[in-house]
Amino acid sequence: MIVSRLRLATLTALLGLAAGTHAQSLTIALASEPTAMDPHYHQATPNNAMASQIFETLVAQDAKMSLIPGLAASWKTLDDTTWEFKLQKDVKFSNGQPLTPQDVIFTFCRAMNNEESIAGSYEAVVQKFADVQTPDANTLIIKTRKPYPLLPNDLTRMGIIWNGIAEHGSITFDLEKKCGVSGGWPRVADFNNGKHAVGTGPYKLKSYVKGSGIELERNEDYWGQKPGWRTVKFVPVPNAGPRLTGLLAGDFDVVESPAARDVQRIKNTPGFGYVVTPSVRVVYFQADVGRDNSPFVKADNGKNPLQDARVRRAISMAIDRKTIVDRIMDGMAMPANQFLPDGMFGTLPHPPQLTYDPAGAKKLLAEAGYPNGFELTLSSTNDRYINDGQITQAVAQYLSRIGIKTHVDAMTRSVYFPRRAKREFSFSMGGWSSETGEASSFLQYWVTSFAPELGMGTSNYGRYSNPELDQIFRQAVTTVDDAQREKLLQQALTLTLADLPSIPLHFESSIWAFRKGLTYEGRADQYTLASSVKSVP
């Protein structure tokens, strides 16, 4: 068959156009979907990862969680309670407006005035500020109420938003006068529909349809290195099986968290690759110790058994962490004896081993007055953490073997997280990535006494309270000397592991799989970033 030169040229051009279009578009399957596009809504990894592609932070982190310049080119301390941040020059928002110090102050103020936020993690940072001044167009001076050595670390999660999304006069850090804002504060819905999704990041929000997908388009005026992908689509696929099937069928270019058991299959299938990266995310269960009458625990004596540290230690001893890692996680995890991997700042060099000892667990239950056990419902997500539903079932089976009559209530995270925030559970699963890279992160939010005015205990849904631990921790987070702060954090962690208000299980490893021609730099913070997906020969 002879094809005319004109037709051949036309066909070649069309194929080239199609190939070029494909080369600039990327489809990623997410294991866990963000619950909002608002960068100050919920401090959860899927939310933070997605927000960071649209909104940037003053301080950024590389793949190994080391601090690097973000919207701030540099920062330094002027004294124990004063920080100077120098903004990058010539940065613009996606609507063409220049970044100013007033945008940063507006961001801080909005974080303090977001009634829809979950857990109060963003307010916890700003509450430590005494004042914020802008001596010139590229400088921010942040004065803290007490020494705050972790300020740069905490600012890695505070996405900067444009001040023009709200009506205001002169923007100043005056919380009592709403910082100059005269109209209503931005609402979550207006970030989700794109109206307020104005950031400085490499991408702009094109559409967000909950449960269906998120589409981003490249910010062509991005001030930094432009990503290689013109358009990116994120598709939520909670089940690992369909994610892998979609990758192999060519529906997805990259997938999060393929099942560990499928890694060998990916390895043996030509045209595909993967990367495995250890993470700092600890998976655990938090006990409701603050209420005499907790909704999903029932004992014959009418008490709440979870208030007894012996019961919590018995629960820990009943769980075979190694078997969970080997059989459910297929080896792609590490048993946890504390809340951050060994060797990281503030961890114990020789933590007490949380060993599997069902006989010892039964003995402890009897000593606590529960020789015949009690009833307990384990509440968890079934679409947030790797194998979360299976893990919960396994823990329930282990507890049943020591006489605790268990029930499992696993649900989608969109239902779970708001309910947990309302303290509707008695024994609830959590997963926390200590993004500051030191032990203070978990302790501050999950273990210290509930004190939102101090930015502490905001995720302490079990309302555990230990005055001695609080005193030590508060001293730690205001201690600038690293060696002294580390010793104090270790003391606080020792008390936590003795009481076990939260019971650690394991640290996740993160897996990404991708088609031939791509590679991905795995991240310890578990973020899936389109700009980190690179083309390779």
Side-chain angles (χ1 to χ4, degrees):
M1 181 179 180
I2 300 175
V3 181
S4 70
R5 291 183 180 179
L6 178 59
R7 289 179 61 195
L8 182 59
T10 302
L11 179 60
T12 302
L14 289 173
L15 289 174
L17 179 62
T21 300
H22 178 71
Q24 293 187 56
S25 63
L26 189 70
T27 303
I28 300 175
L30 298 177
S32 186
E33 179 186 22
T35 53
M37 295 296 103
D38 183 343
H40 311 141
Y41 174 66
H42 187 193
Q43 188 169 300
T45 295
N47 290 43
N48 289 352
M50 186 60 64
S52 69
Q53 302 180 91
I54 303 169
F55 307 93
E56 294 178 300
T57 54
L58 288 178
V59 183
Q61 288 179 313
D62 64 16
K64 295 181 180 179
M65 299 181 68
S66 298
L67 300 184
I68 57 175
L71 293 177
S74 64
W75 55 90
K76 64 181 180 181
T77 53
L78 302 181
D79 56 50
D80 281 357
T81 59
T82 308
W83 290 81
E84 178 188 81
F85 291 82
K86 290 290 187 179
L87 297 185
Q88 303 275 8
K89 295 181 179 180
D90 301 321
V91 176
K92 292 184 178 181
F93 286 92
S94 58
N95 62 359
Q97 294 298 312
L99 171 73
T100 68
Q102 282 67 42
D103 296 301
V104 181
I105 292 179
F106 174 73
T107 296
F108 294 156
C109 295
R110 193 272 172 154
M112 292 294 295
N113 290 276
N114 185 7
E115 296 179 356
E116 299 171 287
S117 68
I118 292 179
S121 301
Y122 300 98
E123 299 97 304
V125 176
V126 184
Q127 283 166 339
K128 298 181 177 69
F129 297 174
D131 193 20
V132 183
Q133 294 291 330
T134 59
D136 60 59
N138 284 97
T139 305
L140 277 164
I141 302 295
I142 299 178
K143 187 78 175 178
T144 59
R145 298 183 186 280
K146 295 180 180 179
Y148 189 3
L150 286 180
L151 176 59
N153 304 69
D154 285 342
L155 289 177
T156 62
R157 296 177 301 283
M158 183 76 72
I160 303 303
I161 58 179
W162 179 50
N163 73 75
I165 63 177
E167 295 180 6
H168 61 78
S170 177
I171 294 288
T172 60
F173 190 75
D174 187 341
L175 296 176
E176 291 186 1
K177 295 183 179 179
K178 300 178 62 177
C179 302
V181 173
S182 55
W185 291 98
R187 307 286 294 181
V188 172
D190 286 326
F191 284 94
N192 291 346
N193 65 29
K195 179 182 177 182
H196 290 338
V198 181
T200 63
Y203 285 98
K204 300 186 292 185
L205 178 64
K206 184 177 180 181
S207 68
Y208 168 52
V209 180
K210 200 167 186 177
S212 177
I214 301 164
E215 293 186 76
L216 305 181
E217 55 186 2
R218 186 167 57 202
N219 179 4
E220 299 295 349
D221 296 321
Y222 181 51
W223 65 277
Q225 183 178 358
K226 293 181 180 60
W229 311 105
R230 183 173 56 82
T231 60
V232 183
K233 184 173 184 179
F234 293 89
V235 182
V237 186
N239 191 289
R243 283 200 302 278
L244 180 61
T245 299
L247 176 68
L248 299 179
D251 297 329
F252 308 129
D253 299 302
V254 180
V255 299
E256 285 185 333
S257 305
R261 63 181 177 273
D262 289 328
V263 167
Q264 194 63 37
R265 179 183 175 189
I266 298 168
K267 184 177 181 179
N268 295 334
T269 303
F272 298 94
Y274 70 93
V275 62
V276 179
T277 303
S279 82
V280 294
R281 179 176 301 284
V282 63
V283 174
Y284 54 93
F285 275 93
Q286 184 181 63
D288 181 3
V289 303
R291 290 180 287 190
D292 295 336
N293 297 303
S294 191
F296 292 107
V297 59
K298 182 179 179 182
D300 292 339
N301 61 8
K303 296 182 180 180
N304 174 4
L306 298 175
Q307 292 182 319
D308 194 318
R310 291 171 296 181
V311 171
R312 301 193 296 273
R313 288 197 292 270
I315 289 174
S316 176
M317 293 164 66
I319 301 170
D320 188 344
R321 292 166 175 80
K322 185 176 185 303
T323 296
I324 289 177
V325 166
D326 290 344
R327 296 184 182 177
I328 296 179
M329 304 301 290
D330 290 282
M332 299 293 179
M334 180 174 63
N337 291 300
Q338 50 187 326
F339 299 98
L340 206 64
D342 297 355
M344 299 196 75
F345 190 89
T347 59
L348 299 176
H350 304 289
Q353 297 298 298
L354 301 180
T355 55
Y356 175 53
D357 182 4
K362 289 181 180 179
K363 183 178 179 181
L364 265 182
L365 278 184
E367 289 180 6
Y370 303 97
N372 299 317
F374 52 89
E375 290 188 40
L376 179 65
T377 295
L378 281 62
S379 303
S380 78
T381 53
N382 57 15
D383 62 354
R384 172 60 192 96
Y385 310 110
I386 300 173
N387 300 326
D388 43 10
Q390 294 171 261
I391 293 166
T392 306
Q393 290 286 353
V395 171
Q397 291 177 22
Y398 284 126
L399 298 190
S400 67
R401 294 174 188 173
I402 65 168
I404 299 175
K405 304 172 186 65
T406 58
H407 309 277
V408 170
D409 185 16
M411 66 203 77
T412 180
R413 71 206 185 302
S414 62
V415 174
Y416 178 81
F417 288 129
R419 289 189 61 189
R420 188 180 67 177
K422 296 176 184 176
R423 302 185 64 212
E424 293 184 10
F425 304 135
S426 297
F427 197 71
S428 56
M429 174 179 275
W432 184 254
S433 180
S434 294
E435 295 173 334
T436 61
E438 70 168 54
S440 60
S441 175
F442 187 88
L443 295 172
Q444 173 174 336
Y445 294 112
W446 295 90
V447 179
T448 55
S449 298
F450 181 66
E453 71 282 0
L454 300 175
M456 296 185 182
T458 52
S459 295
N460 184 354
Y461 307 117
R463 293 299 190 266
Y464 169 75
S465 183
N466 183 331
E468 180 185 2
L469 185 152
D470 290 341
Q471 182 179 2
I472 292 171
F473 182 80
R474 292 174 187 181
Q475 183 181 352
V477 294
T478 57
T479 298
V480 177
D481 182 88
D482 284 347
Q484 293 181 26
R485 186 167 80 257
E486 184 168 38
K487 289 181 181 179
L488 291 166
L489 289 174
Q490 289 171 343
Q491 292 177 31
L493 189 54
T494 298
L495 292 173
T496 303
L497 292 172
D499 271 0
L500 287 178
S502 288
I503 299 170
L505 300 181
H506 58 261
F507 299 101
E508 292 183 344
S509 288
S510 302
I511 309 172
W512 291 267
F514 33 81
R515 62 169 174 80
K516 184 179 180 179
L518 299 179
T519 187
Y520 187 76
E521 182 183 20
R523 296 180 59 91
D525 56 18
Q526 299 186 308
Y527 284 14
T528 298
L529 304 178
S531 56
S532 293
V533 179
K534 306 294 185 183
S535 296
V536 294

